[in-house]
Amino acid sequence: MTATKLKVSVLYDVWEEEPVEVQEEVPAPRKRKGQTKRRKKVVKQDREEIFEALEKLGHEPSYYILDGRRQSLLGLAKCGADLVFNLTESYAGDDTKEMNVTAFLDMLEIPYTGSGPHANVLAQDKSIAKKMFAFYGIQSPYFATSYRGALDHAHDISFPLIVKPTSEDGSIGIDAAAVVTNVKELMERVHYIQTEFDSPALIEEYIEGREIYAAILGSYENAYALPLVELDLSKLPKGMPRIASQDVKFEKNTEAYKLTKSAIAEDLDEETTTKLSEIALKAYRAVKLRDYGRIDMRVSSKGEVYVIEANPNPWLSSGQEFAMAAKKSGLSYTQMIGEIVDLAMARHA
Ligand SMILES: Nc1ncnc2c1ncn2[C@@H]1O[C@H](COP(=O)(O)OP(=O)(O)O)[C@@H](O)[C@H]1O
Ligand SMILES: [Mg+2]
């Protein structure tokens, strides 16, 4: 554990859609991985929990907000932090600029937690990540992408399929109609993704199976998988596709939310657990994640494992899967934050 007291700037971004009073010390709504633009404010934000953990660790935390104005960028350059705890997901509401923020911090030579710009590039566009997975022999569902008539594919794909935006997270664009079983539904959904999100559509084979998340802590050869977490979708009503839609993830008042829950996957046999953990680690490294990340997978009834996506800097809220896995491994929330701080500082030692 870092013995020295660090000035840690908890960095997050706000965007126009949710106007806030921008004062540097005041927490404000922000988009997090696994959180949609339509999401209502939660009681305690992850950044507040992280702030408190940093205090308990003996550090000196403060908040810094990137609000999309040049002024806030210039301020960041002069913030004087020993470490940035990076919770940004976008810049000025543009998710594709997540990588610009980390690249900016690199240029300023300010140490920061989590993945760097190269991982942002490789993991954010799911079709790029899937090409990396293929190179490393990591199984991921067969897919094609379609954008304004241009098609990119390497395999024949067959129904049922799931259609999603290539580069969103938080299940944006993923609802019951995302799973399609015929050409008409497919064409309609591709059209929807293109018009609604101005994004290429990722058309992927739908994998029936259990949904397992592997939280990974560490970097490169020293990364390791924490106990696996399952999102149990088996209780969803008949006819509703078993997917982690926006409702399942965030909409507390929906049936879908109430009937699903994440918990440590206690009943997986040792062989399956080892297989899932090893595949998750391979995927983590394939797209160059570091410090902490979460790999989303599906395992079929035959025990076949498919990587669905790799999440750099996943949501660290204490109720979420990453913290759940860390707790099961014996780390308190504060210790988990301490580990992430140490990993980031070690990179700059
Ligand atoms: N190929 C697939 N087969 C089965 N379910 C899928 C597939 N792709 C996505 N899903 C379901 O949709 C959810 C969200 O998809 P994901 O690609 O992880 O998007 P996000 O980045 O928004 O989390 C997954 O957690 C899973 O439940
Ligand atoms: Mg996901």
Side-chain angles (χ1 to χ4, degrees):
M1 183 153 303
T2 317
T4 35
K5 180 173 178 156
L6 301 169
K7 282 195 187 116
V8 185
S9 190
V10 178
L11 179 71
Y12 63 98
D13 58 296
V14 295
W15 67 99
E16 259 174 34
E17 271 180 317
E18 286 195 53
V20 285
E21 293 153 48
V22 178
Q23 284 172 17
E24 279 168 22
E25 298 297 322
V26 179
R30 179 179 55 81
K31 181 173 175 257
R32 289 289 304 129
K33 208 142 243 148
Q35 184 173 348
T36 76
K37 289 175 183 168
R38 266 155 266 151
R39 189 152 186 272
K40 287 159 211 90
K41 200 174 173 187
V42 287
V43 183
K44 203 185 230 177
Q45 300 257 359
D46 53 348
R47 61 171 166 268
E48 296 170 75
E49 294 184 283
I50 292 164
F51 191 103
E52 282 170 20
L54 290 166
E55 281 180 322
K56 284 187 196 149
L57 289 161
H59 299 309
E60 198 186 314
S62 60
Y63 290 111
Y64 194 89
I65 302 171
L66 276 182
D67 64 7
R69 290 177 304 163
R70 190 179 292 180
Q71 210 61 22
S72 72
L73 276 179
L74 298 177
L76 178 59
K78 291 184 256 169
C79 75
D82 300 311
L83 175 73
V84 162
F85 205 106
N86 182 25
L87 300 179
T88 58
E89 289 288 325
S90 64
Y91 180 72
D94 181 350
D95 291 8
T96 65
K97 293 214 173 84
E98 190 177 4
M99 64 188 81
N100 300 56
V101 176
T102 47
F104 184 61
L105 289 168
D106 278 340
M107 302 241 272
L108 295 169
E109 296 181 11
I110 301 177
Y112 59 93
T113 56
S115 290
H118 46 320
N120 297 146
V121 174
L122 295 175
Q124 188 175 47
D125 182 329
K126 289 175 185 154
S127 68
I128 295 177
K130 287 165 74 69
K131 287 173 186 173
M132 294 296 287
F133 296 154
F135 180 84
Y136 288 103
I138 300 159
Q139 183 157 256
S140 140
Y142 280 178
F143 77 106
T145 57
S146 166
Y147 193 49
R148 303 196 190 291
L151 194 65
D152 187 16
H153 69 108
H155 305 108
D156 284 338
I157 49 174
S158 39
F159 290 109
L161 299 166
I162 181 165
V163 186
K164 43 192 187 179
T166 47
S167 304
E168 292 287 353
D169 51 49
S171 287
I172 290 174
I174 300 178
D175 54 46
V179 179
V180 298
T181 54
N182 58 55
V183 173
K184 180 170 178 284
E185 287 173 357
L186 170 63
M187 291 195 299
E188 280 171 359
R189 197 63 186 182
V190 168
H191 177 74
Y192 167 78
I193 297 293
Q194 289 181 173
T195 49
E196 186 75 7
F197 303 101
D198 192 21
S199 161
L202 177 64
I203 306 160
E204 204 174 72
E205 288 196 346
Y206 175 76
I207 308 297
E208 189 68 60
R210 293 174 69 173
E211 174 133 339
I212 308 287
Y213 302 133
I216 311 258
L217 200 53
S219 300
Y220 316 113
E221 65 281 7
N222 293 326
Y224 60 96
L226 298 172
L228 300 169
V229 173
E230 173 167 22
L231 173 61
D232 181 6
L233 299 161
S234 66
K235 303 206 172 52
L236 284 174
K238 266 212 169 75
M240 194 184 276
R242 291 184 177 175
I243 55 171
S245 61
Q246 277 203 16
D247 283 358
V248 165
K249 283 185 186 166
F250 311 115
E251 297 302 328
K252 293 201 166 143
N253 296 323
T254 62
E255 208 188 357
Y257 185 94
K258 289 174 191 159
L259 294 171
T260 51
K261 73 172 185 18
S262 293
I264 296 296
E266 305 272 13
D267 64 334
L268 291 171
D269 61 57
E270 212 180 303
E271 193 190 336
T272 312
T273 303
T274 307
K275 188 168 158 188
L276 282 156
S277 306
E278 281 173 1
I279 291 172
L281 264 178
K282 250 177 132 174
Y284 184 86
R285 293 181 179 128
V287 290
K288 316 252 179 284
L289 303 200
R290 66 187 189 202
D291 295 352
Y292 67 111
R294 198 192 71 231
I295 308 297
D296 298 353
M297 294 171 287
R298 283 229 155 179
V299 50
S300 75
S301 53
K302 288 187 210 135
E304 276 190 299
V305 176
Y306 294 84
V307 172
I308 300 294
E309 65 154 346
N311 298 287
N313 304 3
W315 197 5
L316 288 178
S317 170
S318 59
Q320 292 298 312
E321 288 87 2
F322 193 94
M324 210 179 270
K327 190 171 174 191
K328 179 71 184 174
S329 80
L331 292 173
S332 68
Y333 189 82
T334 303
Q335 286 169 329
M336 173 188 96
I337 298 299
E339 286 288 320
I340 294 171
V341 166
D342 290 349
L343 284 161
M345 290 309 288
R347 190 165 39 250
H348 295 86

